[in-house]
Amino acid sequence: MLSQTISHTLRTPLYERHRFFHARMADVGGWELPTAYGSQIEEHHVVRADAGMFDLSHMCVVDIHGTDVRMFLGKLLANDIGKLKTQGKALYSCMLNNEGGVIDDLVVYYLDDEYFRIVLNAHTASGDIQWIHSQIVATNSSVTLVPRRQDLVTGDAEPLAIIAVQGPNARERVFRAIPSTHTAETVRPFNSITVHDAAVGELMLARTGKTGEDGFELIMPAKHAAQVWDMLRSAGIHATGLDAWETLRLEAGMHLNGRDMDPQTSPFDAGLGWSVDLGSERDFVGKAALCTRRQTRKFVGLAFEGAAVARTHSQVTSHQGEVIGKVTSGTYSPTLRIAIALALISPDIQFGSYVSVDVYNNRVSARVVRPPFVRDGSPVQQHDHA
């Protein structure tokens, strides 16, 4: 679970809505956020079977403008920005340091030839922005960076909020809540559209998310966030907390920066090699290091026989007692009804084999599997034995 003791924290534009509906609030990376509104397990199943919504306004939208913005992003990001040719198209990429380690993983949207939008992870946002500014200086670029999160916004830029609506009925419910000339079928995966609603102004609907379910991430002016939240609730979308988001993303085998990867982890170690463009002549930050960096770890899933959850950093050992890696994220899977984990282990360990994990001072056996554990709401059948 994500819950911790609340201290001095930041609050999103939806804070009062969460309190009104009696959400359990906790400090999540410096933000006072809803971890659950009732049963975490029920909220998890609602997203798998119907539609749930999450307040992700602690994540950071950054708009980037300029005549050479495409060239700049081509140097900044490991994935090929040249893939973005259609307005609204999205691209997942890692942003690397000079040593080829992951500073952040992010989604970038092409809005026009001089305007892109990036969504950064919450806890790395401030450092990410400093890094991007340093690269603007290093490349002598003329691009302008405009943070849109309420605590980072400057000048006359309007702060934005993010609501993720996820689940098999998510898209249909969103268009029921927010009338549009578009339909649930017109927005393709990893694409976005902009909807103009008379009541709440401009909303960006991006068909992205980290739950393993279909749906949208809605980006809107922070001043309209509560109204949009109420419109979505009126369309039958359930309010869900971040504890359910955590179990959903782990079942889907999706990474969380700071746990499953960090600046010391290469995208190849983290299982994100598919998002790195080494095949072209394009240079980007970290490319030279990746070309010579040997893979030292492999990103895997661990399926346990029981319900005891392994903590982050729990040691993974072979049955001969040799330390071969560590757990990066662990949880109880409501869909599978067993404990699961993500881990970085020796690349020599084969899928289908068994390892031992330190769980509350006990050595527990787990099977090494390929993430995800759940796809389209159903358990993935694992057939890896070599």
Side-chain angles (χ1 to χ4, degrees):
M1 293 187 181
L2 297 173
S3 306
Q4 302 173 22
T5 302
I6 294 178
S7 56
H8 177 68
T9 52
L10 296 165
R11 293 172 175 173
T12 77
L14 290 165
Y15 172 80
E16 295 299 335
R17 280 293 183 276
H18 304 319
R19 298 296 294 183
F20 181 80
F21 290 106
H22 308 291
R24 293 197 299 276
M25 308 295 289
D27 184 322
V28 181
W31 289 81
E32 193 170 356
L33 297 172
T35 56
Y37 292 82
S39 164
Q40 173 194 348
I41 301 296
E42 290 179 4
E43 290 174 14
H44 177 105
H45 289 312
V46 159
V47 175
R48 288 278 182 249
D50 188 7
M53 59 183 177
F54 304 86
D55 179 7
L56 298 184
S57 301
H58 56 307
M59 298 184 71
C60 184
V61 175
V62 174
D63 290 340
I64 184 164
H65 307 263
T67 55
D68 61 344
V69 62
R70 185 181 287 273
M71 182 181 298
F72 173 74
L73 290 174
K75 295 177 180 178
L76 181 74
L77 302 179
N79 208 342
D80 181 11
I81 202 74
K83 296 175 182 177
L84 298 183
K85 299 177 181 178
T86 305
Q87 188 176 40
K89 180 66 177 173
L91 180 74
Y92 175 89
S93 181
C94 292
M95 182 169 65
L96 308 178
N97 57 27
N98 292 318
E99 293 72 38
V102 180
I103 294 174
D104 200 4
D105 69 323
L106 52 85
V107 177
V108 57
Y109 301 90
Y110 166 52
L111 301 183
D112 67 41
D113 287 339
E114 298 184 9
Y115 178 20
F116 287 72
R117 171 167 285 175
I118 300 173
V119 179
L120 304 171
N121 280 296
H123 74 284
T124 57
S126 296
D128 288 354
I129 291 169
Q130 292 177 16
W131 173 257
I132 296 171
H133 274 302
S134 75
Q135 296 307 302
I136 292 173
V137 173
T139 58
N140 197 28
S141 175
S142 62
V143 301
T144 302
L145 202 64
V146 183
R148 305 293 297 274
R149 195 171 72 181
Q150 61 187 32
D151 61 313
L152 298 173
V153 71
T154 58
D156 58 358
E158 185 172 27
L160 300 176
I162 306 176
I163 301 172
V165 184
Q166 304 280 286
N169 297 327
R171 290 187 296 132
E172 183 273 329
R173 296 280 176 86
V174 166
F175 281 117
R176 183 190 304 174
I178 303 169
S180 169
T181 56
H182 296 273
T183 66
E185 288 71 37
T186 60
V187 187
R188 300 181 64 185
F190 249 66
N191 280 265
S192 66
I193 59 170
T194 299
V195 172
H196 297 272
D197 181 87
V200 298
E202 184 175 292
L203 291 90
M204 178 177 172
L205 306 183
R207 195 172 167 190
T208 52
K210 271 199 170 184
T211 64
E213 295 294 336
D214 203 352
F216 287 127
E217 291 175 309
L218 285 69
I219 300 175
M220 73 224 73
K223 64 185 178 184
H224 296 313
Q227 187 173 354
V228 173
W229 186 268
D230 291 343
M231 293 166 66
L232 296 171
R233 287 190 76 255
S234 296
I237 299 170
H238 303 264
T240 46
L242 293 183
D243 281 344
W245 184 90
E246 174 75 351
T247 55
L248 290 159
R249 74 98 188 165
L250 259 165
E251 286 187 348
M254 294 193 173
H255 300 69
L256 181 63
N257 194 24
R259 289 196 194 172
D260 306 307
M261 55 191 165
D262 56 34
Q264 287 72 51
T265 307
S266 84
F268 292 102
D269 285 353
L272 294 172
W274 58 269
S275 70
V276 178
D277 172 33
L278 290 181
S280 69
E281 296 182 0
R282 177 184 66 96
D283 193 19
F284 57 85
V285 177
K287 181 177 182 179
L290 288 182
C291 288
T292 60
R293 188 166 174 169
R294 184 175 63 90
Q295 182 178 0
T296 60
R297 292 173 288 179
K298 179 163 65 175
F299 185 73
V300 302
L302 300 177
F304 297 82
E305 293 183 357
V309 174
R311 296 176 180 268
T312 298
H313 302 305
S314 294
Q315 283 190 343
V316 181
T317 61
S318 67
H319 283 308
Q320 290 72 40
E322 177 189 5
V323 177
I324 57 172
K326 67 176 183 178
V327 169
T328 56
S329 297
T331 193
Y332 172 77
S333 165
T335 303
L336 303 179
R337 299 184 180 180
I338 60 170
I340 59 173
L342 300 175
L344 288 170
I345 65 172
S346 167
D348 299 329
I349 305 302
Q350 300 298 308
F351 291 107
S353 61
Y354 285 83
V355 296
S356 294
V357 183
D358 183 12
V359 181
Y360 298 102
N361 297 319
N362 293 313
R363 307 305 299 171
V364 179
S365 180
R367 185 167 181 249
V368 179
V369 301
R370 297 180 189 271
F373 300 91
V374 175
R375 183 183 290 116
D376 297 328
S378 299
V380 173
Q381 297 298 316
Q382 296 286 346
H383 301 290
D384 299 295
H385 295 285

